[in-house]
Amino acid sequence: MGSCFSAESRSPLPGSPSSLGVRKRKNSKKRFGSRRSSSFEYKIPGRLFNNGATEVASLFTQQGRKGTNQDAMVVWENFCSRNDAIFCGVFDGHGPYGHMVARRVRDALPQKLHAQWEVNAKSEEVLRKISLNSSSANHEDASFISADDESRISVDLEETHKESEIFQILKDSFITGFRMMERELRVQTSVDCFCSGTTAVTLIKKGQDLIVGNVGDSRAVLGTRDDDNGLVAVQLTVDLKPNLPAEAERIKKCGGRVFALRDEPDVSRVWLPNIDSPGLAMARAFGDFCLKDFGLTSLPDVSYRRLTEKDEFVVLATDGIWDVLSNKEAVDVVAGAPSRSTAARALVETAVRAWKMKYPTSKIDDCAVICLFLDSDTDALSSAVATNEKDSSVSAERAEVGIDKEDTNGPTTLGGSATVRTDTDAIQESNVDDEKSPTEDDLLLDDYSALEGVTRVNTLLNLPRYKPGK
């Protein structure tokens, strides 16, 4: 169950530098949680994961006092080589190696969704051709319908079919892609995911179709206009926490336990059957394999929305934002930002001030925000490359304010969200090399074991790991 092995135990591949006798660096030994550099991290056009902005999106994240910022984010324009498609994702890591898990998922999950979308789209195209050939044979049977009625019905049915088709394709892509990501985390050896994991709130926008896939308690909120042209907030995801009846029932059926501690009665946590550990404050997450046999799952909650001209932007953010700001407050901040490029930063800074006002004795959470604006020209979503250098310089100038983690309950009900299940068994191994960064790991582990102030963390206790032969 979620066993991980040290990177040193892997034998060198034939022809590799180590097998040819090339002398290794003195401190080349790897360990769990060592920082890894993705081979495609800087090589994909249209992909942005640092503080900055593109023509259609604004990104900003701010570090906490735990050492390493465990939040990660990504915007990928022209996703899946489609000019009218864009992928966005925000990831909130937890546990001693949560920052590594969040970055691994940030880098690998879009690739898996990309591959699955291509496969599912080709399969759907074949089925559509078969269906069209079958229906054309019966076309003469509908000759009694007037020309106008036939045209109107045809347009309506075609539009409905397109909506259901894209949703089904991307829903299947989300389910299979998330499952493949989980399997990769289980078999890889570079990051210890036994008591570490990450949330993921992701979306794919293709034209006017918006599909959201969510795992954990990060959140997506839509800023739209009502009939009176007033700005309103619509929550697109459910905070998947153990206090939800359906989530608690699943966990208990699998042998896990759900209860809140006496000192924090409003925070339900997931516990092992016979040990008061690890106390995970969410019901779904990538990683955390110590709980995967006891009800924790990485199956995404997938929902669909057809965008209209009244929909203005979507905010994706980790719970560091939603713990202190309501959906409406967040939407108002984004709408009132001086410019689109500074919208995400304005929301983070507002949340930091709210933390200091509402919880002066608590450590503020890491915060990550993506603001995706919907009224831009969807045929010209290719500005990330042009602004990459500018984003890097802007990111370097921004000072990081120390903050930390509190986990309180946000809104947990949402109409129209469809939870989907699958039996897909897809495994994809990771072949990405790892690099060592002991300073980052030391900072994280030191602060994780000795948090200052009154703090609520996502996982309370860390289970001991026993390695063979030691």
Side-chain angles (χ1 to χ4, degrees):
M1 180 183 69
S3 59
C4 297
F5 299 93
S6 172
E8 304 99 86
S9 63
R10 292 181 291 182
S11 301
L13 296 174
S16 65
S18 59
S19 65
L20 296 177
V22 179
R23 193 166 80 179
K24 298 182 180 179
R25 290 181 297 176
K26 183 177 181 180
N27 294 324
S28 62
K29 193 178 189 181
K30 297 180 180 179
R31 57 172 175 156
F32 283 130
S34 62
R35 181 171 182 174
R36 51 181 295 281
S37 177
S38 173
S39 61
F40 49 80
E41 194 167 69
Y42 296 96
K43 298 180 181 179
I44 299 180
R47 182 175 180 269
L48 179 66
F49 54 88
N50 289 323
N51 292 347
T54 73
E55 192 173 285
V56 297
S58 173
L59 303 84
F60 192 79
T61 183
Q62 188 158 283
Q63 179 180 327
R65 292 184 187 272
K66 292 178 294 184
T68 299
N69 186 352
Q70 292 192 302
D71 289 356
M73 57 189 180
V74 61
V75 170
W76 187 349
E77 299 179 357
N78 298 326
F79 185 63
C80 211
S81 301
R82 290 171 169 84
N83 291 333
D84 63 343
I86 184 168
F87 172 85
C88 298
V90 168
F91 313 92
D92 185 0
H94 54 263
Y97 302 110
H99 63 304
M100 293 286 105
V101 184
R103 291 170 187 170
R104 172 68 67 91
V105 175
R106 175 200 69 188
D107 292 343
L109 181 62
Q111 299 279 353
K112 291 171 172 42
L113 292 177
H114 185 292
Q116 287 304 311
W117 190 358
E118 292 291 349
V119 171
N120 293 335
K122 291 179 181 178
S123 299
E124 189 68 22
E125 182 66 24
V126 173
L127 294 175
R128 188 191 308 114
K129 289 181 180 180
I130 296 175
S131 177
L132 289 175
N133 292 335
S134 300
S135 61
S136 62
N138 301 323
H139 179 70
E140 295 181 358
D141 296 339
S143 58
F144 62 92
I145 303 177
S146 68
D148 291 341
D149 291 341
E150 183 178 6
S151 177
R152 187 184 69 255
I153 293 174
S154 176
V155 171
D156 292 342
L157 290 177
E158 182 179 0
E159 191 68 22
T160 302
H161 176 70
K162 286 182 179 179
E163 292 180 10
S164 60
E165 176 186 327
I166 188 62
F167 176 51
Q168 188 61 47
I169 291 175
L170 288 177
K171 179 183 72 174
D172 294 341
S173 300
F174 270 103
I175 294 171
T176 306
F178 274 55
R179 197 177 188 90
M180 291 173 64
M181 186 71 252
E182 179 79 345
R183 296 297 181 88
E184 178 181 305
L185 290 174
R186 185 182 288 272
V187 301
Q188 59 81 41
T189 60
S190 60
V191 181
D192 188 349
C193 301
F194 190 67
C195 286
S196 298
T198 185
T199 69
V201 58
T202 59
L203 67 80
I204 293 177
K205 176 185 176 294
K206 183 183 185 300
Q208 296 305 109
D209 298 301
L210 186 69
I211 296 87
V212 183
N214 180 47
V215 165
D217 58 358
S218 295
R219 189 184 302 171
V221 174
L222 173 70
T224 187
R225 297 285 173 177
D226 59 18
D227 295 336
D228 298 326
N229 202 36
L231 186 65
V232 295
V234 177
Q235 187 170 326
L236 299 177
T237 58
V238 176
D239 296 345
L240 297 169
K241 296 186 179 184
N243 63 332
L244 291 177
E247 301 296 302
E249 181 180 2
R250 183 191 69 247
I251 293 167
K252 292 175 181 177
K253 282 184 177 180
C254 294
R257 296 180 296 156
V258 176
F259 63 87
L261 297 177
R262 184 183 305 173
D263 294 339
E264 45 177 24
D266 57 338
V267 182
S268 297
R269 297 181 180 274
V270 184
W271 310 86
L272 289 169
N274 302 313
I275 307 175
D276 288 345
S277 180
L280 185 65
M282 60 201 67
R284 303 192 192 191
F286 284 113
D288 297 297
F289 292 110
C290 64
L291 288 170
K292 281 296 160 64
D293 290 336
F294 303 103
L296 186 72
T297 180
S298 61
L299 184 70
D301 186 66
V302 183
S303 59
Y304 171 84
R305 183 181 179 94
R306 179 71 177 179
L307 297 173
T308 69
E309 66 279 359
K310 293 185 177 182
D311 301 328
E312 295 190 358
F313 55 84
V314 177
V315 178
L316 302 180
T318 55
D319 62 349
I321 300 295
W322 311 116
D323 284 347
V324 292
L325 297 177
S326 68
N327 295 339
K328 184 60 167 65
E329 289 172 334
V331 164
D332 289 341
V333 170
V334 173
S339 64
R340 289 186 172 187
S341 62
T342 61
R345 181 175 185 176
L347 184 54
V348 170
E349 291 176 346
T350 301
V352 170
R353 290 193 295 269
W355 272 98
K356 295 177 180 178
M357 292 289 293
K358 295 182 178 181
Y359 307 106
T361 62
S362 298
K363 295 183 68 179
I364 309 169
D365 195 0
D366 298 333
C367 296
V369 171
I370 292 177
C371 300
L372 175 64
F373 297 95
L374 305 173
D375 59 353
S376 296
D377 184 2
T378 55
D379 294 329
L381 303 182
S382 58
S383 57
V385 178
T387 59
N388 218 4
E389 295 181 2
K390 175 183 176 182
D391 295 335
S392 300
S393 62
V394 171
S395 176
E397 294 174 359
R398 291 174 177 166
E400 295 177 337
V401 179
I403 45 182
D404 186 49
K405 188 93 167 162
E406 177 173 357
D407 195 327
T408 59
N409 292 324
T412 55
T413 58
L414 175 63
S417 177
T419 302
V420 285
R421 295 177 175 82
T422 181
D423 294 325
T424 305
D425 292 322
I427 301 176
Q428 181 167 327
E429 297 184 7
S430 172
N431 296 319
V432 181
D433 293 333
D434 307 307
E435 295 183 0
K436 182 181 178 183
S437 182
T439 303
E440 185 176 82
D441 293 339
D442 293 340
L443 282 173
L444 176 68
L445 293 177
D446 289 344
D447 286 348
Y448 186 84
S449 60
L451 296 175
E452 299 175 357
V454 181
T455 307
R456 289 174 184 164
V457 293
N458 281 327
T459 51
L460 292 177
L461 301 175
N462 191 24
L463 294 175
R465 299 303 307 278
Y466 299 96
K467 297 181 181 178
K470 292 188 178 181

